[in-house]
Amino acid sequence: MKQVTFHQLKVFEVTARRGSFTRAAEELFLTQPTVSIQMKQLTKAVGLPLFEQVGKRLFLTQAGQELLNTCQDIFERLSQFEMTISDLQGLKRGQLKLSVITTAKYVIPRLLGPFCEQYPGIDVSLIVTNHESILERLRDNLDDLYIPSQSPDNIDVHCHSFLDNPLVVLASRNHPLAREKFIPIERLNGQAFIMREPGSGTRQAVEKLLHDRDIAIRVRLELGSNEAIKQAVAGGLGISVLSRHCLALEGETGQLVILNVEGFPIERHWHIVYPKGKQLSVVARTFFDYLQTDGKRVLAETALL
Ligand code: PGA
C-alpha cells in the first residue's frame, strides 16, 4: 500500500459511491480512462479486486468495502483536523452534516438561519427522513448529529433531550368530529384514517396507542409525507395523527383543526443523538451547544415552542 496516493483514494471513494467509472470521471472532472488507470493501479497495490461489474454497474468486493470504510475514516479525520486548525486560528469553519426526523424539519431550518449568520464559515447539509432511516444513518455513522423522536434502543449513543414533539389528531374543519369538545377514543373506531408509511415513528406511536386501546381505524390512504397528509386531511379524505409542529406556519387558522381526543396528544420528544465513541468535530460541537442555548431562545422568539 506504500505507493497508494491520496488522489487514488479520493478517486476510489467517488467511484464506489457513484458505482461507475464514467460517473466518477464526471464528478471529478477527469477522463474515464484516467479513472480506470488509477483504479487499476490501486487494485494492484491492494493485491485483491476492489470492484466487480454486474451489467453496467460496479459493485464493491469485500476488499473494496473494507477500503471504502478506511477511506471514509481517513477523510473524516482529515476534515476534523482542518476544523481544529481553523478553530485554533479563531475561526469556526467546515462542514456540518445533520439528519433530522421529518417533524423536526419545521424547526431545525429556522435555527440554521441565525446559526449560519453567526458562523458564516460553516456549511450545512441537512437530511430529513423518517425514524427507520435515521437509525440506519446512525448505524452507518454518516452524519455528525441526528435528531430523532425516540432514543434508539440497540445502538450505543449519547442522547440529550431537546424539545417536546406532541402528536395530535388532525381533521378538516368540516369534519363531523370537529364540532365536538371532547372525543372519547372509542369514537375513532371505523374512522377513515390517513397513515404514514411503514418505518415512520409517528405510525409506530399511533399503532401502539390504538392497539393498547383496542381501537380499529380504517386506513384509507398511506402517505410518506406529513405535508401530503395535511393536504389529504384538508381535502376531506379522513383524519390523521401528526406532530403539532407540522402546523408550525399555518397554526389552526387554516382548514385543519386539532381534535381533542382522549389519550392525545401522544407525548414524544426530539433528542440530539450521536454514537458513543464518536469524536464530535469542532463544528458539530458548536452546533450542539447552540441548540441547547441560543437555539431554544430563537425558537421561543419565533413562537415555535
Ligand atoms: P417519522 O417521525 O417521520 O418517522 O414519523 C416523526 C417523529 O417521530 O417525530
Side-chain angles (χ1 to χ4, degrees):
M1 291 292 286
K2 284 216 181 82
Q3 288 103 42
V4 170
T5 64
F6 189 70
H7 178 64
Q8 283 169 345
L9 295 181
K10 206 72 213 134
V11 174
F12 168 74
E13 190 273 331
V14 178
T15 309
R17 184 158 43 74
R18 304 297 305 268
S20 135
F21 290 146
T22 312
R23 282 202 289 267
E26 279 164 13
E27 182 170 328
L28 293 164
F29 302 106
L30 297 172
T31 62
Q32 198 265 0
T34 309
V35 170
S36 169
I37 290 167
Q38 295 288 323
M39 290 306 90
K40 260 201 197 114
Q41 288 170 349
L42 183 61
T43 305
K44 199 162 157 220
V46 172
L48 284 174
L50 301 172
F51 296 105
E52 53 201 11
Q53 181 142 12
V54 180
K56 282 199 171 152
R57 197 176 160 87
L58 293 175
F59 289 86
L60 288 173
T61 59
Q62 195 182 346
Q65 188 57 54
E66 289 295 332
L67 182 60
L68 180 61
N69 297 344
T70 309
C71 286
Q72 284 166 343
D73 284 351
I74 294 172
F75 298 147
E76 184 175 330
R77 293 300 298 270
L78 270 176
S79 123
Q80 292 209 354
F81 173 72
E82 271 173 8
M83 293 184 211
T84 308
I85 293 296
S86 297
D87 195 40
L88 291 173
Q89 291 168 332
L91 300 165
K92 302 263 187 261
R93 213 162 40 194
Q95 236 227 328
L96 173 65
K97 286 189 275 173
L98 302 173
S99 69
V100 307
I101 193 80
T102 61
T103 46
K105 79 169 175 204
Y106 296 94
V107 165
I108 298 298
R110 290 290 191 102
L111 294 178
L112 286 173
F115 178 75
C116 292
E117 206 172 307
Q118 198 175 340
Y119 301 105
I122 297 182
D123 297 324
V124 185
S125 89
L126 176 68
I127 302 277
V128 177
T129 187
N130 73 13
H131 181 68
E132 196 169 278
S133 151
I134 292 235
L135 297 191
E136 265 167 35
R137 296 186 68 85
L138 183 59
R139 255 184 236 112
D140 294 342
N141 188 24
L142 293 182
D143 305 296
D144 295 313
L145 294 170
Y146 306 81
I147 303 195
S149 273
Q150 237 174 293
S151 162
D153 295 333
N154 43 15
I155 313 176
D156 222 0
V157 291
H158 292 283
C159 180
H160 301 259
S161 183
F162 176 46
L163 285 179
D164 293 343
N165 176 32
L167 302 183
V168 295
V169 185
L170 289 183
S172 127
R173 192 164 281 288
N174 305 324
H175 193 282
L177 289 178
R179 288 191 287 275
E180 303 198 13
K181 287 222 158 23
F182 177 75
I183 304 165
I185 195 166
E186 290 73 23
R187 295 286 307 282
L188 298 190
N189 266 316
Q191 285 290 336
F193 199 90
I194 302 155
M195 187 64 107
R196 282 282 307 274
E197 78 288 0
S200 144
T202 308
R203 176 177 176 140
Q204 275 172 21
V206 175
E207 284 182 340
K208 178 169 181 326
L209 176 68
L210 296 180
H211 176 265
D212 290 351
R213 299 295 304 267
D214 214 10
I215 306 294
I217 46 162
R218 185 162 53 91
V219 178
R220 191 163 181 203
L221 189 60
E222 210 176 86
L223 286 174
S225 139
N226 297 326
E227 283 302 305
I229 290 185
K230 278 162 57 181
Q231 295 298 333
V233 171
L237 281 171
I239 59 171
S240 189
V241 172
L242 289 181
S243 162
R244 187 161 51 75
H245 292 285
C246 296
L247 296 180
L249 281 184
E250 63 269 59
E252 277 193 276
T253 52
Q255 297 162 40
L256 300 175
V257 288
I258 297 176
L259 300 183
N260 183 15
V261 179
E262 176 201 354
F264 288 87
I266 302 175
E267 298 296 349
R268 283 165 73 79
H269 309 274
W270 289 320
H271 298 86
I272 314 168
V273 166
Y274 59 94
K276 276 227 165 103
K278 182 174 179 87
Q279 217 188 330
L280 286 189
S281 68
V282 172
V283 162
R285 168 66 53 194
T286 306
F287 187 65
F288 180 88
D289 293 341
Y290 167 83
L291 282 181
Q292 315 256 33
T293 51
D294 291 358
K296 288 200 176 158
R297 186 177 45 73
V298 171
L299 289 180
E301 280 169 12
T302 43
L304 286 174
L305 280 185

